[in-house]
mmCIF file of all heavy atoms in Angstrom:
data_model
loop_
_atom_site.group_PDB
_atom_site.id
_atom_site.type_symbol
_atom_site.label_atom_id
_atom_site.label_comp_id
_atom_site.label_asym_id
_atom_site.label_seq_id
_atom_site.Cartn_x
_atom_site.Cartn_y
_atom_site.Cartn_z
ATOM 1 N N PRO A 30 7.145 33.823 1.497
ATOM 2 C CA PRO A 30 8.263 34.045 2.463
ATOM 3 C C PRO A 30 8.428 32.973 3.501
ATOM 4 O O PRO A 30 9.403 32.968 4.238
ATOM 5 C CB PRO A 30 7.916 35.438 3.107
ATOM 6 C CG PRO A 30 6.426 35.548 2.945
ATOM 7 C CD PRO A 30 6.110 34.859 1.655
ATOM 8 N N LYS A 87 8.474 45.929 10.846
ATOM 9 C CA LYS A 87 8.831 44.542 11.026
ATOM 10 C C LYS A 87 7.599 43.665 10.944
ATOM 11 O O LYS A 87 6.525 44.045 11.392
ATOM 12 C CB LYS A 87 9.499 44.336 12.397
ATOM 13 C CG LYS A 87 10.877 45.019 12.490
ATOM 14 C CD LYS A 87 11.525 44.666 13.824
ATOM 15 C CE LYS A 87 12.909 45.287 13.925
ATOM 16 N NZ LYS A 87 13.547 44.980 15.207
ATOM 17 N N THR A 88 7.773 42.504 10.334
ATOM 18 C CA THR A 88 6.654 41.556 10.222
ATOM 19 C C THR A 88 6.339 40.958 11.545
ATOM 20 O O THR A 88 7.224 40.448 12.222
ATOM 21 C CB THR A 88 7.024 40.443 9.202
ATOM 22 O OG1 THR A 88 7.431 41.023 7.989
ATOM 23 C CG2 THR A 88 5.879 39.517 9.014
ATOM 24 N N PRO A 89 5.085 41.024 11.999
ATOM 25 C CA PRO A 89 4.725 40.367 13.242
ATOM 26 C C PRO A 89 4.954 38.879 13.167
ATOM 27 O O PRO A 89 4.721 38.248 12.165
ATOM 28 C CB PRO A 89 3.238 40.661 13.395
ATOM 29 C CG PRO A 89 2.812 41.400 12.197
ATOM 30 C CD PRO A 89 3.968 41.624 11.304
ATOM 31 N N ARG A 90 5.477 38.341 14.238
ATOM 32 C CA ARG A 90 5.802 36.915 14.261
ATOM 33 C C ARG A 90 5.034 36.218 15.387
ATOM 34 O O ARG A 90 4.747 36.811 16.417
ATOM 35 C CB ARG A 90 7.309 36.682 14.462
ATOM 36 C CG ARG A 90 8.156 37.405 13.401
ATOM 37 C CD ARG A 90 9.621 37.112 13.657
ATOM 38 N NE ARG A 90 9.964 35.736 13.410
ATOM 39 C CZ ARG A 90 10.362 35.269 12.225
ATOM 40 N NH1 ARG A 90 10.443 36.096 11.184
ATOM 41 N NH2 ARG A 90 10.668 34.009 12.046
ATOM 42 N N VAL A 91 4.737 34.961 15.169
ATOM 43 C CA VAL A 91 4.056 34.165 16.178
ATOM 44 C C VAL A 91 5.113 33.570 17.085
ATOM 45 O O VAL A 91 6.229 33.240 16.650
ATOM 46 C CB VAL A 91 3.231 33.048 15.496
ATOM 47 C CG1 VAL A 91 2.530 32.193 16.549
ATOM 48 C CG2 VAL A 91 2.230 33.668 14.558
ATOM 49 N N ASP A 92 4.811 33.456 18.389
ATOM 50 C CA ASP A 92 5.794 33.021 19.370
ATOM 51 C C ASP A 92 6.333 31.614 19.087
ATOM 52 O O ASP A 92 7.490 31.345 19.230
ATOM 53 C CB ASP A 92 5.193 33.117 20.766
ATOM 54 C CG ASP A 92 4.905 34.513 21.191
ATOM 55 O OD1 ASP A 92 5.556 35.413 20.615
ATOM 56 O OD2 ASP A 92 4.064 34.725 22.051
ATOM 57 N N ALA A 93 5.449 30.710 18.697
ATOM 58 C CA ALA A 93 5.857 29.328 18.501
ATOM 59 C C ALA A 93 5.320 28.800 17.195
ATOM 60 O O ALA A 93 4.230 29.125 16.770
ATOM 61 C CB ALA A 93 5.333 28.457 19.631
ATOM 62 N N PRO A 133 16.156 35.371 6.147
ATOM 63 C CA PRO A 133 15.569 34.143 6.667
ATOM 64 C C PRO A 133 14.076 34.060 6.373
ATOM 65 O O PRO A 133 13.400 35.084 6.245
ATOM 66 C CB PRO A 133 15.865 34.184 8.154
ATOM 67 C CG PRO A 133 16.058 35.627 8.460
ATOM 68 C CD PRO A 133 16.661 36.244 7.226
ATOM 69 N N THR A 134 13.563 32.864 6.295
ATOM 70 C CA THR A 134 12.126 32.655 6.080
ATOM 71 C C THR A 134 11.371 33.046 7.351
ATOM 72 O O THR A 134 11.927 33.012 8.442
ATOM 73 C CB THR A 134 11.818 31.213 5.711
ATOM 74 O OG1 THR A 134 12.314 30.368 6.749
ATOM 75 C CG2 THR A 134 12.464 30.849 4.385
ATOM 76 N N ILE A 135 10.097 33.406 7.161
ATOM 77 C CA ILE A 135 9.256 33.681 8.328
ATOM 78 C C ILE A 135 8.662 32.373 8.825
ATOM 79 O O ILE A 135 8.805 31.327 8.187
ATOM 80 C CB ILE A 135 8.126 34.685 7.953
ATOM 81 C CG1 ILE A 135 7.182 34.059 6.905
ATOM 82 C CG2 ILE A 135 8.725 35.979 7.459
ATOM 83 C CD1 ILE A 135 5.982 34.947 6.563
ATOM 84 N N LEU A 136 8.038 32.415 9.952
ATOM 85 C CA LEU A 136 7.430 31.211 10.499
ATOM 86 C C LEU A 136 6.306 30.710 9.606
ATOM 87 O O LEU A 136 5.623 31.484 8.950
ATOM 88 C CB LEU A 136 6.871 31.465 11.908
ATOM 89 C CG LEU A 136 7.888 31.858 13.004
ATOM 90 C CD1 LEU A 136 7.151 32.179 14.294
ATOM 91 C CD2 LEU A 136 8.890 30.760 13.208
ATOM 92 N N ARG A 137 6.092 29.387 9.578
ATOM 93 C CA ARG A 137 5.056 28.837 8.749
ATOM 94 C C ARG A 137 3.680 29.233 9.218
ATOM 95 O O ARG A 137 2.722 29.194 8.447
ATOM 96 C CB ARG A 137 5.164 27.300 8.710
ATOM 97 C CG ARG A 137 6.395 26.796 7.965
ATOM 98 C CD ARG A 137 6.459 25.277 7.905
ATOM 99 N NE ARG A 137 5.243 24.723 7.316
ATOM 100 C CZ ARG A 137 4.353 24.001 7.974
ATOM 101 N NH1 ARG A 137 4.521 23.768 9.281
ATOM 102 N NH2 ARG A 137 3.305 23.509 7.374
ATOM 103 N N SER A 138 3.549 29.639 10.442
ATOM 104 C CA SER A 138 2.259 30.076 10.964
ATOM 105 C C SER A 138 2.001 31.584 10.676
ATOM 106 O O SER A 138 0.925 32.070 10.964
ATOM 107 C CB SER A 138 2.197 29.849 12.492
ATOM 108 O OG SER A 138 3.284 30.444 13.134
ATOM 109 N N ASP A 139 2.983 32.288 10.122
ATOM 110 C CA ASP A 139 2.814 33.697 9.780
ATOM 111 C C ASP A 139 2.031 33.844 8.485
ATOM 112 O O ASP A 139 1.903 32.943 7.693
ATOM 113 C CB ASP A 139 4.155 34.405 9.672
ATOM 114 C CG ASP A 139 4.793 34.647 11.028
ATOM 115 O OD1 ASP A 139 4.112 34.426 12.063
ATOM 116 O OD2 ASP A 139 5.982 35.032 11.083
ATOM 117 N N ASN A 140 1.502 35.057 8.307
ATOM 118 C CA ASN A 140 0.715 35.375 7.108
ATOM 119 C C ASN A 140 1.615 35.934 6.018
ATOM 120 O O ASN A 140 2.158 37.014 6.164
ATOM 121 C CB ASN A 140 -0.350 36.397 7.470
ATOM 122 C CG ASN A 140 -1.348 36.657 6.348
ATOM 123 O OD1 ASN A 140 -1.062 36.348 5.191
ATOM 124 N ND2 ASN A 140 -2.466 37.211 6.677
ATOM 125 N N LEU A 143 0.533 39.399 4.719
ATOM 126 C CA LEU A 143 0.885 40.479 5.636
ATOM 127 C C LEU A 143 2.355 40.839 5.510
ATOM 128 O O LEU A 143 2.734 42.017 5.601
ATOM 129 C CB LEU A 143 0.583 40.053 7.085
ATOM 130 C CG LEU A 143 0.880 41.092 8.179
ATOM 131 C CD1 LEU A 143 0.123 42.380 7.927
ATOM 132 C CD2 LEU A 143 0.596 40.521 9.551
ATOM 133 N N TYR A 144 3.196 39.836 5.257
ATOM 134 C CA TYR A 144 4.621 40.087 5.050
ATOM 135 C C TYR A 144 4.818 41.036 3.881
ATOM 136 O O TYR A 144 5.592 42.002 3.942
ATOM 137 C CB TYR A 144 5.352 38.754 4.789
ATOM 138 C CG TYR A 144 6.768 38.931 4.304
ATOM 139 C CD1 TYR A 144 7.822 38.971 5.219
ATOM 140 C CD2 TYR A 144 7.058 39.031 2.953
ATOM 141 C CE1 TYR A 144 9.134 39.146 4.775
ATOM 142 C CE2 TYR A 144 8.364 39.201 2.517
ATOM 143 C CZ TYR A 144 9.402 39.242 3.417
ATOM 144 O OH TYR A 144 10.705 39.414 2.960
#
Side-chain angles (χ1 to χ4, degrees):
K87 293 184 178 180
T88 305
R90 304 181 69 90
V91 180
D92 293 337
T134 57
I135 64 176
L136 296 177
R137 290 182 57 248
S138 55
D139 285 351
N140 187 342
L143 179 60
Y144 169 91

